[in-house]
Amino acid sequence: MALTQQHIDQEIAAEHAAYEKRVADGAPVEHHPRRDYTPYRSSVLRHPEQPPVSIDTSRDPEMVELHSPAFGERDITGIDNDLTRQHTGEPVGERITVSGRLLDRAGRPVRGQLIEIWQANSAGRYAHHREQHDAPLDANFTGVGRTLTDAEGRYHFTTIQPGPYPWRNHVNAWRPAHIHFSVFGAAFTQRLVTQMYFPNDPLFAYDPILQSVTDDAARQRLVATYDHGLSVPEFSLGYHWDIVLDGPAATWIEEGR
Amino acid sequence: MTKIDTSGPEHVLPTPSQTVGPFYGYALPFRGGEDIAPLGHPDTVTVHGYVLDGEGDPLPDALVELWGPRPDGTVPQVDGSLRRDPATGAYLGRNGVEFTGWGRIQTDPNGHWYARTLRPGARGRGAPYLSVCVFARGLLMHLFTRIYLPGDAAALAGDPLLARVGDRRDTLMATDEGSGTYRFDIRLQGEGETVFLEFQ
């Protein structure tokens, strides 16, 4: 029998209730999704069953994981952060500006680090050969961008509002519009791949990937805020999205920065 | 709210992880991502393997990132892994001389990956290793692990992590296939599941 949205909705509700009960019983808040989140079917055979082995980085400040590769000016060109200028013509869709700050858990800006994004076009189609969604490709939009954070940890992208798209997790599965982000911190231990969503999307409740973040407040942190101050007159609408990296970094004092 | 208030630690909470999804393939991988060692360097080693799911099936849509120190144990802090062509914006390639220590490899349609890098040197108390981060469709949060290369039995015997994981130790050890080639499979689930790490 085909898996329906109603079935997935029940599983999402059960996972949410189980989380609420864990927290009520004294368990810690879970900021990240569990890797074994059944409503997202692709996770079922791909999550470790053994708990991860915990490493106390403060006991070994020399470990490779605390010293990330550096990214710098050679790794990007000036317009890599403008996805509307990668082809000779204008892409179709609503232009948007996305900006925010990259911070560590102490609220300090993470400077000079690489942020990469990728996304579907305005019709909800990726420029990927295995993408089978029957929506038009846009010859003037590839949907890939890169930038480095500045001295205040700020990043800035100009792109096109992506469309929602179907994805076959179950019958009538549609993903809310989103932009994928890949972020490097000041250490390998802070590496993050995530997705930014747009405010007030009616698809939020139906999407097991977004709902895999079972903590309501944590899930809200994946949704950008419309920011009129970031909108560019006669050009684009602005969204603000700050990113906070988890995980330890070598202390700044030890590195003399 | 997604404007973070930095006035107190209670407001600075982490951004949740999400899957890399199936369609990162045209965005994140880059030509030469697996060629970390400088061209023709005599200490180059090849590390390769499969990423496997709970049924032992290889993942054609996984992404592996590697970090490694230089053979003298120092960690490179140079950019240039992803050097761009300023005229076209296209990937220009590494310059073939500098060792940045970092590589990114997409599994092929058979779930196989490989990297050519320099044999890492020891740092601190442990045996030398390559750091690994695994992403894939279906993985809601990346996985960290390490690749230890066989060779220095005394250093490996004294490594604190290898000692801690007991009979799962072999999942962190690459197999020597000769000619500087090492096999390292990453098993996400089930029998022989790789030891994955979390850093605190």
mmCIF file with all atom_site columns, all heavy atoms in Angstrom, chain A residues 42 46 62 65 69 74 191 194 197 223 225 242, chain B residues 2 4 16 18 65 67 79 104 123 129 137:
data_model
loop_
_atom_site.group_PDB
_atom_site.id
_atom_site.type_symbol
_atom_site.label_atom_id
_atom_site.label_alt_id
_atom_site.label_comp_id
_atom_site.label_asym_id
_atom_site.label_entity_id
_atom_site.label_seq_id
_atom_site.pdbx_PDB_ins_code
_atom_site.Cartn_x
_atom_site.Cartn_y
_atom_site.Cartn_z
_atom_site.occupancy
_atom_site.B_iso_or_equiv
_atom_site.pdbx_formal_charge
_atom_site.auth_seq_id
_atom_site.auth_comp_id
_atom_site.auth_asym_id
_atom_site.auth_atom_id
_atom_site.pdbx_PDB_model_num
ATOM 1   N N   . SER A 1 42  ? 14.452 7.900  3.957  1.00 0.00 ? 42  SER A N   1
ATOM 2   C CA  . SER A 1 42  ? 15.844 7.671  3.554  1.00 0.00 ? 42  SER A CA  1
ATOM 3   C C   . SER A 1 42  ? 16.770 7.477  4.745  1.00 0.00 ? 42  SER A C   1
ATOM 4   O O   . SER A 1 42  ? 17.891 7.007  4.601  1.00 0.00 ? 42  SER A O   1
ATOM 5   C CB  . SER A 1 42  ? 16.355 8.837  2.710  1.00 0.00 ? 42  SER A CB  1
ATOM 6   O OG  . SER A 1 42  ? 15.639 8.935  1.504  1.00 0.00 ? 42  SER A OG  1
ATOM 7   N N   . ARG A 1 46  ? 20.312 4.285  7.080  1.00 0.00 ? 46  ARG A N   1
ATOM 8   C CA  . ARG A 1 46  ? 21.539 5.079  6.991  1.00 0.00 ? 46  ARG A CA  1
ATOM 9   C C   . ARG A 1 46  ? 21.945 5.717  8.309  1.00 0.00 ? 46  ARG A C   1
ATOM 10  O O   . ARG A 1 46  ? 22.810 6.585  8.325  1.00 0.00 ? 46  ARG A O   1
ATOM 11  C CB  . ARG A 1 46  ? 21.363 6.140  5.901  1.00 0.00 ? 46  ARG A CB  1
ATOM 12  C CG  . ARG A 1 46  ? 21.221 5.505  4.523  1.00 0.00 ? 46  ARG A CG  1
ATOM 13  C CD  . ARG A 1 46  ? 21.052 6.515  3.422  1.00 0.00 ? 46  ARG A CD  1
ATOM 14  N NE  . ARG A 1 46  ? 21.215 5.905  2.102  1.00 0.00 ? 46  ARG A NE  1
ATOM 15  C CZ  . ARG A 1 46  ? 21.490 6.572  1.002  1.00 0.00 ? 46  ARG A CZ  1
ATOM 16  N NH1 . ARG A 1 46  ? 21.635 7.884  1.043  1.00 0.00 ? 46  ARG A NH1 1
ATOM 17  N NH2 . ARG A 1 46  ? 21.622 5.951  -0.149 1.00 0.00 ? 46  ARG A NH2 1
ATOM 18  N N   . GLU A 1 62  ? 45.611 19.681 20.630 1.00 0.00 ? 62  GLU A N   1
ATOM 19  C CA  . GLU A 1 62  ? 46.389 19.510 19.401 1.00 0.00 ? 62  GLU A CA  1
ATOM 20  C C   . GLU A 1 62  ? 45.652 18.706 18.338 1.00 0.00 ? 62  GLU A C   1
ATOM 21  O O   . GLU A 1 62  ? 46.165 18.494 17.247 1.00 0.00 ? 62  GLU A O   1
ATOM 22  C CB  . GLU A 1 62  ? 47.720 18.812 19.726 1.00 0.00 ? 62  GLU A CB  1
ATOM 23  C CG  . GLU A 1 62  ? 48.732 19.709 20.407 1.00 0.00 ? 62  GLU A CG  1
ATOM 24  C CD  . GLU A 1 62  ? 49.126 20.867 19.501 1.00 0.00 ? 62  GLU A CD  1
ATOM 25  O OE1 . GLU A 1 62  ? 49.705 20.614 18.447 1.00 0.00 ? 62  GLU A OE1 1
ATOM 26  O OE2 . GLU A 1 62  ? 48.829 22.018 19.860 1.00 0.00 ? 62  GLU A OE2 1
ATOM 27  N N   . GLU A 1 65  ? 41.079 17.867 14.511 1.00 0.00 ? 65  GLU A N   1
ATOM 28  C CA  . GLU A 1 65  ? 39.725 18.371 14.327 1.00 0.00 ? 65  GLU A CA  1
ATOM 29  C C   . GLU A 1 65  ? 39.538 19.804 14.822 1.00 0.00 ? 65  GLU A C   1
ATOM 30  O O   . GLU A 1 65  ? 38.556 20.453 14.478 1.00 0.00 ? 65  GLU A O   1
ATOM 31  C CB  . GLU A 1 65  ? 38.718 17.458 15.051 1.00 0.00 ? 65  GLU A CB  1
ATOM 32  C CG  . GLU A 1 65  ? 38.544 16.093 14.380 1.00 0.00 ? 65  GLU A CG  1
ATOM 33  C CD  . GLU A 1 65  ? 39.503 15.033 14.896 1.00 0.00 ? 65  GLU A CD  1
ATOM 34  O OE1 . GLU A 1 65  ? 40.520 15.392 15.527 1.00 0.00 ? 65  GLU A OE1 1
ATOM 35  O OE2 . GLU A 1 65  ? 39.242 13.838 14.658 1.00 0.00 ? 65  GLU A OE2 1
ATOM 36  N N   . PRO A 1 69  ? 41.084 23.663 7.854  1.00 0.00 ? 69  PRO A N   1
ATOM 37  C CA  . PRO A 1 69  ? 41.773 24.334 6.754  1.00 0.00 ? 69  PRO A CA  1
ATOM 38  C C   . PRO A 1 69  ? 41.253 25.756 6.660  1.00 0.00 ? 69  PRO A C   1
ATOM 39  O O   . PRO A 1 69  ? 40.120 26.038 7.018  1.00 0.00 ? 69  PRO A O   1
ATOM 40  C CB  . PRO A 1 69  ? 41.341 23.527 5.532  1.00 0.00 ? 69  PRO A CB  1
ATOM 41  C CG  . PRO A 1 69  ? 40.036 22.935 5.920  1.00 0.00 ? 69  PRO A CG  1
ATOM 42  C CD  . PRO A 1 69  ? 40.111 22.685 7.386  1.00 0.00 ? 69  PRO A CD  1
ATOM 43  N N   . ARG A 1 74  ? 41.505 33.195 -2.602 1.00 0.00 ? 74  ARG A N   1
ATOM 44  C CA  . ARG A 1 74  ? 41.723 32.371 -3.794 1.00 0.00 ? 74  ARG A CA  1
ATOM 45  C C   . ARG A 1 74  ? 40.586 31.388 -4.047 1.00 0.00 ? 74  ARG A C   1
ATOM 46  O O   . ARG A 1 74  ? 40.479 30.817 -5.122 1.00 0.00 ? 74  ARG A O   1
ATOM 47  C CB  . ARG A 1 74  ? 43.030 31.573 -3.639 1.00 0.00 ? 74  ARG A CB  1
ATOM 48  C CG  . ARG A 1 74  ? 44.277 32.427 -3.692 1.00 0.00 ? 74  ARG A CG  1
ATOM 49  C CD  . ARG A 1 74  ? 45.513 31.551 -3.714 1.00 0.00 ? 74  ARG A CD  1
ATOM 50  N NE  . ARG A 1 74  ? 45.654 30.784 -2.475 1.00 0.00 ? 74  ARG A NE  1
ATOM 51  C CZ  . ARG A 1 74  ? 46.607 29.866 -2.279 1.00 0.00 ? 74  ARG A CZ  1
ATOM 52  N NH1 . ARG A 1 74  ? 47.464 29.594 -3.233 1.00 0.00 ? 74  ARG A NH1 1
ATOM 53  N NH2 . ARG A 1 74  ? 46.686 29.223 -1.130 1.00 0.00 ? 74  ARG A NH2 1
ATOM 54  N N   . ARG A 1 191 ? 31.676 21.954 11.674 1.00 0.00 ? 191 ARG A N   1
ATOM 55  C CA  . ARG A 1 191 ? 31.136 21.781 10.313 1.00 0.00 ? 191 ARG A CA  1
ATOM 56  C C   . ARG A 1 191 ? 29.625 21.622 10.358 1.00 0.00 ? 191 ARG A C   1
ATOM 57  O O   . ARG A 1 191 ? 29.089 20.876 11.180 1.00 0.00 ? 191 ARG A O   1
ATOM 58  C CB  . ARG A 1 191 ? 31.782 20.525 9.716  1.00 0.00 ? 191 ARG A CB  1
ATOM 59  C CG  . ARG A 1 191 ? 31.475 20.275 8.263  1.00 0.00 ? 191 ARG A CG  1
ATOM 60  C CD  . ARG A 1 191 ? 32.332 21.109 7.359  1.00 0.00 ? 191 ARG A CD  1
ATOM 61  N NE  . ARG A 1 191 ? 32.104 20.774 5.955  1.00 0.00 ? 191 ARG A NE  1
ATOM 62  C CZ  . ARG A 1 191 ? 31.110 21.298 5.220  1.00 0.00 ? 191 ARG A CZ  1
ATOM 63  N NH1 . ARG A 1 191 ? 30.284 22.182 5.739  1.00 0.00 ? 191 ARG A NH1 1
ATOM 64  N NH2 . ARG A 1 191 ? 30.968 20.944 3.956  1.00 0.00 ? 191 ARG A NH2 1
ATOM 65  N N   . THR A 1 194 ? 23.049 22.531 6.428  1.00 0.00 ? 194 THR A N   1
ATOM 66  C CA  . THR A 1 194 ? 21.684 22.751 6.886  1.00 0.00 ? 194 THR A CA  1
ATOM 67  C C   . THR A 1 194 ? 20.850 23.351 5.760  1.00 0.00 ? 194 THR A C   1
ATOM 68  O O   . THR A 1 194 ? 21.287 23.396 4.607  1.00 0.00 ? 194 THR A O   1
ATOM 69  C CB  . THR A 1 194 ? 21.692 23.622 8.165  1.00 0.00 ? 194 THR A CB  1
ATOM 70  O OG1 . THR A 1 194 ? 20.373 23.686 8.695  1.00 0.00 ? 194 THR A OG1 1
ATOM 71  C CG2 . THR A 1 194 ? 22.228 25.021 7.899  1.00 0.00 ? 194 THR A CG2 1
ATOM 72  N N   . TYR A 1 197 ? 14.745 28.045 5.477  1.00 0.00 ? 197 TYR A N   1
ATOM 73  C CA  . TYR A 1 197 ? 13.374 28.058 4.963  1.00 0.00 ? 197 TYR A CA  1
ATOM 74  C C   . TYR A 1 197 ? 12.830 29.488 4.968  1.00 0.00 ? 197 TYR A C   1
ATOM 75  O O   . TYR A 1 197 ? 13.423 30.383 5.587  1.00 0.00 ? 197 TYR A O   1
ATOM 76  C CB  . TYR A 1 197 ? 12.490 27.150 5.825  1.00 0.00 ? 197 TYR A CB  1
ATOM 77  C CG  . TYR A 1 197 ? 12.933 25.694 5.792  1.00 0.00 ? 197 TYR A CG  1
ATOM 78  C CD1 . TYR A 1 197 ? 13.961 25.231 6.620  1.00 0.00 ? 197 TYR A CD1 1
ATOM 79  C CD2 . TYR A 1 197 ? 12.347 24.783 4.922  1.00 0.00 ? 197 TYR A CD2 1
ATOM 80  C CE1 . TYR A 1 197 ? 14.383 23.907 6.588  1.00 0.00 ? 197 TYR A CE1 1
ATOM 81  C CE2 . TYR A 1 197 ? 12.764 23.455 4.882  1.00 0.00 ? 197 TYR A CE2 1
ATOM 82  C CZ  . TYR A 1 197 ? 13.776 23.021 5.717  1.00 0.00 ? 197 TYR A CZ  1
ATOM 83  O OH  . TYR A 1 197 ? 14.189 21.713 5.674  1.00 0.00 ? 197 TYR A OH  1
ATOM 84  N N   . VAL A 1 223 ? 14.122 29.068 9.995  1.00 0.00 ? 223 VAL A N   1
ATOM 85  C CA  . VAL A 1 223 ? 13.251 29.900 9.161  1.00 0.00 ? 223 VAL A CA  1
ATOM 86  C C   . VAL A 1 223 ? 13.784 31.336 9.154  1.00 0.00 ? 223 VAL A C   1
ATOM 87  O O   . VAL A 1 223 ? 13.910 31.965 10.208 1.00 0.00 ? 223 VAL A O   1
ATOM 88  C CB  . VAL A 1 223 ? 11.799 29.867 9.680  1.00 0.00 ? 223 VAL A CB  1
ATOM 89  C CG1 . VAL A 1 223 ? 10.889 30.667 8.752  1.00 0.00 ? 223 VAL A CG1 1
ATOM 90  C CG2 . VAL A 1 223 ? 11.303 28.431 9.816  1.00 0.00 ? 223 VAL A CG2 1
ATOM 91  N N   . THR A 1 225 ? 13.950 35.429 8.521  1.00 0.00 ? 225 THR A N   1
ATOM 92  C CA  . THR A 1 225 ? 13.030 36.528 8.835  1.00 0.00 ? 225 THR A CA  1
ATOM 93  C C   . THR A 1 225 ? 13.010 37.499 7.658  1.00 0.00 ? 225 THR A C   1
ATOM 94  O O   . THR A 1 225 ? 14.081 37.877 7.152  1.00 0.00 ? 225 THR A O   1
ATOM 95  C CB  . THR A 1 225 ? 13.535 37.279 10.087 1.00 0.00 ? 225 THR A CB  1
ATOM 96  O OG1 . THR A 1 225 ? 13.697 36.335 11.149 1.00 0.00 ? 225 THR A OG1 1
ATOM 97  C CG2 . THR A 1 225 ? 12.550 38.346 10.515 1.00 0.00 ? 225 THR A CG2 1
ATOM 98  N N   . ASP A 1 242 ? 20.645 34.329 10.581 1.00 0.00 ? 242 ASP A N   1
ATOM 99  C CA  . ASP A 1 242 ? 21.895 34.113 11.303 1.00 0.00 ? 242 ASP A CA  1
ATOM 100 C C   . ASP A 1 242 ? 22.101 32.618 11.515 1.00 0.00 ? 242 ASP A C   1
ATOM 101 O O   . ASP A 1 242 ? 21.142 31.867 11.731 1.00 0.00 ? 242 ASP A O   1
ATOM 102 C CB  . ASP A 1 242 ? 21.852 34.796 12.681 1.00 0.00 ? 242 ASP A CB  1
ATOM 103 C CG  . ASP A 1 242 ? 21.957 36.312 12.589 1.00 0.00 ? 242 ASP A CG  1
ATOM 104 O OD1 . ASP A 1 242 ? 22.412 36.810 11.543 1.00 0.00 ? 242 ASP A OD1 1
ATOM 105 O OD2 . ASP A 1 242 ? 21.568 36.987 13.562 1.00 0.00 ? 242 ASP A OD2 1
ATOM 106 N N   . THR B 2 2   ? 15.318 34.547 13.758 1.00 0.00 ? 2   THR B N   1
ATOM 107 C CA  . THR B 2 2   ? 16.588 34.127 13.182 1.00 0.00 ? 2   THR B CA  1
ATOM 108 C C   . THR B 2 2   ? 17.582 35.278 13.087 1.00 0.00 ? 2   THR B C   1
ATOM 109 O O   . THR B 2 2   ? 18.545 35.221 12.366 1.00 0.00 ? 2   THR B O   1
ATOM 110 C CB  . THR B 2 2   ? 16.365 33.491 11.810 1.00 0.00 ? 2   THR B CB  1
ATOM 111 O OG1 . THR B 2 2   ? 15.393 34.245 11.112 1.00 0.00 ? 2   THR B OG1 1
ATOM 112 C CG2 . THR B 2 2   ? 15.887 32.082 11.991 1.00 0.00 ? 2   THR B CG2 1
ATOM 113 N N   . ILE B 2 4   ? 20.035 36.538 15.672 1.00 0.00 ? 4   ILE B N   1
ATOM 114 C CA  . ILE B 2 4   ? 20.504 36.045 16.960 1.00 0.00 ? 4   ILE B CA  1
ATOM 115 C C   . ILE B 2 4   ? 20.902 37.209 17.851 1.00 0.00 ? 4   ILE B C   1
ATOM 116 O O   . ILE B 2 4   ? 21.680 38.082 17.466 1.00 0.00 ? 4   ILE B O   1
ATOM 117 C CB  . ILE B 2 4   ? 21.695 35.078 16.774 1.00 0.00 ? 4   ILE B CB  1
ATOM 118 C CG1 . ILE B 2 4   ? 21.293 33.905 15.860 1.00 0.00 ? 4   ILE B CG1 1
ATOM 119 C CG2 . ILE B 2 4   ? 22.201 34.582 18.125 1.00 0.00 ? 4   ILE B CG2 1
ATOM 120 C CD1 . ILE B 2 4   ? 20.212 33.003 16.397 1.00 0.00 ? 4   ILE B CD1 1
ATOM 121 N N   . PRO B 2 16  ? 20.093 24.058 13.730 1.00 0.00 ? 16  PRO B N   1
ATOM 122 C CA  . PRO B 2 16  ? 20.011 22.608 13.546 1.00 0.00 ? 16  PRO B CA  1
ATOM 123 C C   . PRO B 2 16  ? 20.588 22.147 12.212 1.00 0.00 ? 16  PRO B C   1
ATOM 124 O O   . PRO B 2 16  ? 20.562 22.868 11.223 1.00 0.00 ? 16  PRO B O   1
ATOM 125 C CB  . PRO B 2 16  ? 18.508 22.335 13.601 1.00 0.00 ? 16  PRO B CB  1
ATOM 126 C CG  . PRO B 2 16  ? 17.922 23.500 14.321 1.00 0.00 ? 16  PRO B CG  1
ATOM 127 C CD  . PRO B 2 16  ? 18.770 24.671 13.946 1.00 0.00 ? 16  PRO B CD  1
ATOM 128 N N   . GLN B 2 18  ? 20.650 19.718 8.849  1.00 0.00 ? 18  GLN B N   1
ATOM 129 C CA  . GLN B 2 18  ? 19.687 19.103 7.932  1.00 0.00 ? 18  GLN B CA  1
ATOM 130 C C   . GLN B 2 18  ? 20.464 18.261 6.919  1.00 0.00 ? 18  GLN B C   1
ATOM 131 O O   . GLN B 2 18  ? 21.662 18.480 6.706  1.00 0.00 ? 18  GLN B O   1
ATOM 132 C CB  . GLN B 2 18  ? 18.880 20.183 7.196  1.00 0.00 ? 18  GLN B CB  1
ATOM 133 C CG  . GLN B 2 18  ? 17.960 20.996 8.107  1.00 0.00 ? 18  GLN B CG  1
ATOM 134 C CD  . GLN B 2 18  ? 16.580 20.350 8.260  1.00 0.00 ? 18  GLN B CD  1
ATOM 135 O OE1 . GLN B 2 18  ? 15.660 20.629 7.510  1.00 0.00 ? 18  GLN B OE1 1
ATOM 136 N NE2 . GLN B 2 18  ? 16.462 19.461 9.230  1.00 0.00 ? 18  GLN B NE2 1
ATOM 137 N N   . GLU B 2 65  ? 34.402 14.207 3.323  1.00 0.00 ? 65  GLU B N   1
ATOM 138 C CA  . GLU B 2 65  ? 35.414 15.256 3.432  1.00 0.00 ? 65  GLU B CA  1
ATOM 139 C C   . GLU B 2 65  ? 36.540 14.751 4.323  1.00 0.00 ? 65  GLU B C   1
ATOM 140 O O   . GLU B 2 65  ? 36.289 14.126 5.353  1.00 0.00 ? 65  GLU B O   1
ATOM 141 C CB  . GLU B 2 65  ? 34.821 16.548 3.998  1.00 0.00 ? 65  GLU B CB  1
ATOM 142 C CG  . GLU B 2 65  ? 33.891 17.236 3.005  1.00 0.00 ? 65  GLU B CG  1
ATOM 143 C CD  . GLU B 2 65  ? 33.353 18.569 3.484  1.00 0.00 ? 65  GLU B CD  1
ATOM 144 O OE1 . GLU B 2 65  ? 33.543 18.917 4.672  1.00 0.00 ? 65  GLU B OE1 1
ATOM 145 O OE2 . GLU B 2 65  ? 32.729 19.272 2.675  1.00 0.00 ? 65  GLU B OE2 1
ATOM 146 N N   . TRP B 2 67  ? 40.331 15.716 6.257  1.00 0.00 ? 67  TRP B N   1
ATOM 147 C CA  . TRP B 2 67  ? 41.312 16.684 6.718  1.00 0.00 ? 67  TRP B CA  1
ATOM 148 C C   . TRP B 2 67  ? 42.527 15.904 7.197  1.00 0.00 ? 67  TRP B C   1
ATOM 149 O O   . TRP B 2 67  ? 42.374 14.880 7.860  1.00 0.00 ? 67  TRP B O   1
ATOM 150 C CB  . TRP B 2 67  ? 40.807 17.453 7.939  1.00 0.00 ? 67  TRP B CB  1
ATOM 151 C CG  . TRP B 2 67  ? 39.964 18.634 7.713  1.00 0.00 ? 67  TRP B CG  1
ATOM 152 C CD1 . TRP B 2 67  ? 40.351 19.936 7.793  1.00 0.00 ? 67  TRP B CD1 1
ATOM 153 C CD2 . TRP B 2 67  ? 38.546 18.662 7.459  1.00 0.00 ? 67  TRP B CD2 1
ATOM 154 N NE1 . TRP B 2 67  ? 39.261 20.757 7.578  1.00 0.00 ? 67  TRP B NE1 1
ATOM 155 C CE2 . TRP B 2 67  ? 38.168 20.010 7.383  1.00 0.00 ? 67  TRP B CE2 1
ATOM 156 C CE3 . TRP B 2 67  ? 37.578 17.672 7.279  1.00 0.00 ? 67  TRP B CE3 1
ATOM 157 C CZ2 . TRP B 2 67  ? 36.850 20.396 7.139  1.00 0.00 ? 67  TRP B CZ2 1
ATOM 158 C CZ3 . TRP B 2 67  ? 36.278 18.045 7.036  1.00 0.00 ? 67  TRP B CZ3 1
ATOM 159 C CH2 . TRP B 2 67  ? 35.922 19.400 6.968  1.00 0.00 ? 67  TRP B CH2 1
ATOM 160 N N   . ASP B 2 79  ? 44.837 28.542 2.269  1.00 0.00 ? 79  ASP B N   1
ATOM 161 C CA  . ASP B 2 79  ? 43.663 28.377 1.421  1.00 0.00 ? 79  ASP B CA  1
ATOM 162 C C   . ASP B 2 79  ? 44.113 27.833 0.068  1.00 0.00 ? 79  ASP B C   1
ATOM 163 O O   . ASP B 2 79  ? 45.275 27.498 -0.115 1.00 0.00 ? 79  ASP B O   1
ATOM 164 C CB  . ASP B 2 79  ? 42.893 29.700 1.309  1.00 0.00 ? 79  ASP B CB  1
ATOM 165 C CG  . ASP B 2 79  ? 43.721 30.816 0.679  1.00 0.00 ? 79  ASP B CG  1
ATOM 166 O OD1 . ASP B 2 79  ? 44.791 30.535 0.114  1.00 0.00 ? 79  ASP B OD1 1
ATOM 167 O OD2 . ASP B 2 79  ? 43.289 31.975 0.754  1.00 0.00 ? 79  ASP B OD2 1
ATOM 168 N N   . ARG B 2 104 ? 37.452 16.933 -0.700 1.00 0.00 ? 104 ARG B N   1
ATOM 169 C CA  . ARG B 2 104 ? 36.008 16.611 -0.691 1.00 0.00 ? 104 ARG B CA  1
ATOM 170 C C   . ARG B 2 104 ? 35.758 15.678 -1.857 1.00 0.00 ? 104 ARG B C   1
ATOM 171 O O   . ARG B 2 104 ? 36.144 15.973 -2.987 1.00 0.00 ? 104 ARG B O   1
ATOM 172 C CB  . ARG B 2 104 ? 35.211 17.891 -0.846 1.00 0.00 ? 104 ARG B CB  1
ATOM 173 C CG  . ARG B 2 104 ? 33.717 17.681 -0.935 1.00 0.00 ? 104 ARG B CG  1
ATOM 174 C CD  . ARG B 2 104 ? 33.003 18.971 -1.266 1.00 0.00 ? 104 ARG B CD  1
ATOM 175 N NE  . ARG B 2 104 ? 32.809 19.823 -0.100 1.00 0.00 ? 104 ARG B NE  1
ATOM 176 C CZ  . ARG B 2 104 ? 32.451 21.114 -0.178 1.00 0.00 ? 104 ARG B CZ  1
ATOM 177 N NH1 . ARG B 2 104 ? 32.301 21.688 -1.345 1.00 0.00 ? 104 ARG B NH1 1
ATOM 178 N NH2 . ARG B 2 104 ? 32.269 21.818 0.925  1.00 0.00 ? 104 ARG B NH2 1
ATOM 179 N N   . ARG B 2 123 ? 50.337 13.981 16.012 1.00 0.00 ? 123 ARG B N   1
ATOM 180 C CA  . ARG B 2 123 ? 50.176 15.200 16.800 1.00 0.00 ? 123 ARG B CA  1
ATOM 181 C C   . ARG B 2 123 ? 49.855 14.770 18.225 1.00 0.00 ? 123 ARG B C   1
ATOM 182 O O   . ARG B 2 123 ? 49.067 13.867 18.433 1.00 0.00 ? 123 ARG B O   1
ATOM 183 C CB  . ARG B 2 123 ? 49.004 16.034 16.288 1.00 0.00 ? 123 ARG B CB  1
ATOM 184 C CG  . ARG B 2 123 ? 49.217 16.593 14.905 1.00 0.00 ? 123 ARG B CG  1
ATOM 185 C CD  . ARG B 2 123 ? 47.952 17.251 14.390 1.00 0.00 ? 123 ARG B CD  1
ATOM 186 N NE  . ARG B 2 123 ? 47.516 18.374 15.211 1.00 0.00 ? 123 ARG B NE  1
ATOM 187 C CZ  . ARG B 2 123 ? 48.077 19.567 15.216 1.00 0.00 ? 123 ARG B CZ  1
ATOM 188 N NH1 . ARG B 2 123 ? 49.133 19.795 14.459 1.00 0.00 ? 123 ARG B NH1 1
ATOM 189 N NH2 . ARG B 2 123 ? 47.624 20.538 15.982 1.00 0.00 ? 123 ARG B NH2 1
ATOM 190 N N   . TYR B 2 129 ? 46.322 10.262 12.121 1.00 0.00 ? 129 TYR B N   1
ATOM 191 C CA  . TYR B 2 129 ? 45.066 9.853  11.479 1.00 0.00 ? 129 TYR B CA  1
ATOM 192 C C   . TYR B 2 129 ? 44.592 10.943 10.530 1.00 0.00 ? 129 TYR B C   1
ATOM 193 O O   . TYR B 2 129 ? 45.053 12.093 10.603 1.00 0.00 ? 129 TYR B O   1
ATOM 194 C CB  . TYR B 2 129 ? 43.973 9.600  12.531 1.00 0.00 ? 129 TYR B CB  1
ATOM 195 C CG  . TYR B 2 129 ? 43.662 10.799 13.400 1.00 0.00 ? 129 TYR B CG  1
ATOM 196 C CD1 . TYR B 2 129 ? 42.715 11.732 13.017 1.00 0.00 ? 129 TYR B CD1 1
ATOM 197 C CD2 . TYR B 2 129 ? 44.332 10.999 14.614 1.00 0.00 ? 129 TYR B CD2 1
ATOM 198 C CE1 . TYR B 2 129 ? 42.445 12.839 13.810 1.00 0.00 ? 129 TYR B CE1 1
ATOM 199 C CE2 . TYR B 2 129 ? 44.068 12.099 15.407 1.00 0.00 ? 129 TYR B CE2 1
ATOM 200 C CZ  . TYR B 2 129 ? 43.114 13.020 14.995 1.00 0.00 ? 129 TYR B CZ  1
ATOM 201 O OH  . TYR B 2 129 ? 42.855 14.128 15.781 1.00 0.00 ? 129 TYR B OH  1
ATOM 202 N N   . ARG B 2 137 ? 22.363 11.822 1.473  1.00 0.00 ? 137 ARG B N   1
ATOM 203 C CA  . ARG B 2 137 ? 20.904 11.798 1.531  1.00 0.00 ? 137 ARG B CA  1
ATOM 204 C C   . ARG B 2 137 ? 20.505 10.818 2.633  1.00 0.00 ? 137 ARG B C   1
ATOM 205 O O   . ARG B 2 137 ? 21.107 9.752  2.761  1.00 0.00 ? 137 ARG B O   1
ATOM 206 C CB  . ARG B 2 137 ? 20.339 11.320 0.186  1.00 0.00 ? 137 ARG B CB  1
ATOM 207 C CG  . ARG B 2 137 ? 18.846 11.061 0.202  1.00 0.00 ? 137 ARG B CG  1
ATOM 208 C CD  . ARG B 2 137 ? 18.342 10.624 -1.165 1.00 0.00 ? 137 ARG B CD  1
ATOM 209 N NE  . ARG B 2 137 ? 18.866 9.328  -1.588 1.00 0.00 ? 137 ARG B NE  1
ATOM 210 C CZ  . ARG B 2 137 ? 18.330 8.144  -1.237 1.00 0.00 ? 137 ARG B CZ  1
ATOM 211 N NH1 . ARG B 2 137 ? 17.277 8.085  -0.457 1.00 0.00 ? 137 ARG B NH1 1
ATOM 212 N NH2 . ARG B 2 137 ? 18.875 7.023  -1.664 1.00 0.00 ? 137 ARG B NH2 1
#
